[in-house]
Amino acid sequence: SQRVVIIGAGIVGTNLADELVSRGWSDITVVEQGPLHMPGGSTSHAPGLVFQTNTSKTMTHLARYTVEKLLSIEQDGKKCFNQVGGLEIATTPARLEDLKRKHGYATSWGIEARLVSAEECFARYPHLNREMVLGGLHIPSDGLALAARATQLLIKRTTKAGVRYLGHTPVTGIERAGRRVTGVTTPGGIIPADIVVSCAGFWGVELGAMVGVKIPLLPLAHQYAKTTAVPALAGRSLNSAINGMNAELPILRHQDQDLYYREHGEQYGIGYYGHRPMPVVASSLGLTPQHVDDKNMPSRLDFTTEDFDPAWQETKKLLPVLRQTEIADGFNGVFSFTPDGGPIVGQPSHLDGFYVAEAVWVTHSAGVARALAQILTTGHSEIDISECELSRFEEIQTNPDYVSETSQQNFVEIYDILHPLQPRISPRALRVSPFYARQQALGAFFLETGGWERPWWYEANRDLVKALPPSWQPVDRDAWSAQFHSPISAAEAWKTRNAVAMFDMTAFHRFEVSGPGAVRLLQRLTTSDMTTKVGSVTYTLLLNDHGTIRSDIFTHRLGEDVFQIGANTATDLAYLEREARVQGQNTPGEWVQVRDITGSTCCIGLWGPRAREVLRGITTEDLSNKGLPYFSLKNTILAGIPVTLIRKSYVGELGWEIQTSAEYGQRLWDRIWQAGQLHGLIAAGRSAFNSMRIEKGYRTYGSDMSTEHNPFEVGVAHAVDVSKVDDFVGKAALQRISTQPLARRLRPLTVDDGRSVVLGKEPVFYNGRAAGYVTSAAFGYSIGKPVAYAWLPASVRDGEGVDIEYFGKKIRATVAAESLYDPEMSSLVQ
Ligand code: FAD
């Protein structure tokens, strides 16, 4: 077993110690700056409401495990979870609709949930004002985590199992030798370690800085108050039936006014997110005092009554029984927010042995701890935690101004109803392609991802909608799916399928992998043969040791020792960088350099039956199927500009990705644009692109597949070269998996009514029972119907009917054979 030091004895650090000892690791020390009986971090005062359901499957499953685990921790008959259930109420029609969507997420992710009428809300929660509530969502397995108690019991049980706890011991530095951490510095001396895990909560930024790791979290104060005793709850504290848990009513959310509630015996606890964001710098809070108690701890700041006033007025409206009470006690408690609202888990690519698990709610604490313990002990977490990865952030997203602005925005929007495509208003235009000015001139509607502005459609194409043939005319959408959508994308898809369109592909991650060890590195990490000839293009997978998918990538072999990688995320970059570094350390003659060239290059996808004619106007290159076959590339000159022409397509049409370095970008756009005018060329956006990708059956990493899936069930087994002789990561596991029957498969569905568009994550019912969920969805313009990809039991056959739940209603759909568009690939290779 390795020597592990965990920094922080909050709910995350103690759970991690527990998850590690239960997996047989033994040499574990938990170092805590505060006293162990009450360390003084966010956990020490957390009211512990656990609402499990989230738009994210990952977050929901991390929460579900936390509930299971806390229910299992018990001492003297006292549990650490009070399963009173959760009730979210709607006081506006928009929220009522939102709860219907949430009911869908709960069903998709396997959490029992029920939409309840206003009457049932009162029956479950008699204190509610009958005139305000329109309905609710009830989740019986939600409840209250007794986080401080759980922490103490975990300390006790892990101490018994041999974990060493050092209270009143601040970590002041992290020791390293070269690129490996070797221990932590404390006032009592250095504690040696092979692995250091920072579970320092909102002090994470300071801990990261000790080893040069930027932790993009912002500590913010959040108001929590307790009332005086509520007459309607008289005697509650003495009620033995509630087993010292201090609460019987469900935990309650009133998100229309940024409020949540729980009981504390005869008192009410009120949490409020409606106030102004109050950023805190952890290092300014000073050292944790020797004496910590309920009222005196670094994470507890003075209550600012004036900020709470609207909450108190609203509370007295919603819960009239509280009109007879006053605020007895309140505080502004500190915890972490992040740019995308997710936790921060994992390791930086430049350092070995240093991990973090921060910005984690009590709700997800045991789930995150288990995931990290699984990663440390087996290399793989059974729950996909890509969206929690430290490495998911683009460089620009770790800069303190960005972190501050976006994290505050997340605080403000925490209970808002957000459309899945809703972009942030600010900061915007952080990263733009060289085509940006041209796109603006064409009236591009931009959405943002990873700081990049990406055209979704172009207003310049609006007149084309009228010219669409009847079978292509866009159908009306419901109000939700009509948001961030334009019928213009139908016209853009039509032009792509029938003439030619140019797509800005710049925001897709491009990495260069070069050096004498490049082939060896990719040969070891991918499922395909990388010894293919220079000029070849390969669609391949990065697996983990368990044979599930960590990413799908394109490799472009530009030279003997030079590849370009078309990848998905910054996490792919971190993985390749780490593996390259380790290979270089172990076999110096086979060093590899991995560089992110996304921003220094740009890329246009030119696709459609007339793409070849457009290019013929600006190059003499042989563009025939023989001269430049599908899945091959060539460095050449186009209109005097050095480019790489890559024969591939994400939309299933003839065409090329055309790459050049950033400084030539605008000229490249202009030249293609001019050459294309004769052939009806338009610029087209991501909305049309997504529709064509989905009807063609091309999967997207993140929504259609993750580390929870193997290539066979996803339907990307064609990216595995079964004849590959060399060993690669995941090969042995994959061979094992290939002999087992599939339990589930990703399948395309077409919507029977030809018009109801869903957006993704909706539950799918088979024979009346929830059997899977939608991953990607779009209107398939070429086939004239909405399309959805969904996970379903493998036994479901083509042509069978299923129902998709959308806003509480069932939409009939049919399981289809692939591909829905051009299964013979005749469009691609014409
Ligand atoms: P912490 O509990 O803060 O633990 C980190 C520990 O690291 C601290 O004890 C600290 O002393 C120690 N440490 C830091 N730096 C050092 C160092 N240099 N050396 C040694 N030790 C160090 N979450 C929910 O899920 N549901 C809720 O209802 C809920 N309500 C909340 C209400 C309020 C008012 C607040 C403030 C938070 C709430 N949260 C809630 C959030 C939740 O409390 C936190 O996200 C969670 O407790 C974080 O746990 P942790 O173990 O990561 O951090």
Side-chain angles (χ1 to χ4, degrees), residues 367-431:
V368 164
R370 178 177 68 161
L372 188 51
Q374 287 175 339
I375 289 170
L376 290 173
T377 56
T378 73
H380 167 66
S381 151
E382 77 191 60
I383 294 178
D384 168 48
I385 59 151
S386 320
E387 62 187 69
C388 310
E389 279 282 352
L390 165 65
S391 57
R392 73 186 182 274
F393 296 100
E394 301 287 326
E395 194 181 0
I396 187 86
Q397 295 176 314
T398 61
N399 112 37
D401 289 345
Y402 181 92
V403 175
S404 175
E405 183 175 354
T406 55
S407 302
Q408 292 189 48
Q409 188 68 17
N410 274 328
F411 177 90
V412 171
E413 291 177 350
I414 192 159
Y415 284 165
D416 287 2
I417 298 169
L418 297 176
H419 190 276
L421 288 176
Q422 190 155 319
R424 61 173 89 258
I425 307 292
S426 171
R428 288 293 296 270
L430 290 174
R431 304 169 90 184

Side-chain angles (χ1 to χ4, degrees), residues 7-14 31-34 38-51 144 147 169-172 199-204 206-207 210 220-224 260 273 288 298-299 331-336 357-365:
I7 304 166
I11 190 74
V12 178
T14 51
V31 187
E32 167 56 55
Q33 64 187 5
M38 186 175 269
S42 308
T43 307
S44 296
H45 54 61
L49 290 83
V50 176
F51 289 94
L144 285 162
T169 308
V171 169
T172 53
C199 300
F202 67 81
W203 286 271
E206 282 72 10
L207 264 299
M210 293 178 191
L220 284 168
H222 153 59
Q223 291 199 299
Y224 193 78
Y260 64 84
Y273 287 109
T288 303
S299 59
F331 62 95
N332 294 357
V334 185
F335 73 113
S336 312
E358 285 152 351
V360 179
W361 286 35
V362 168
T363 302
H364 311 108
S365 55

Side-chain angles (χ1 to χ4, degrees), residues 129 312 315-326:
N129 181 343
W312 185 226
T315 294
K316 286 191 283 189
K317 271 198 245 161
L318 183 77
L319 301 165
V321 291
L322 298 190
R323 290 177 192 162
Q324 302 154 33
T325 70
E326 285 166 26

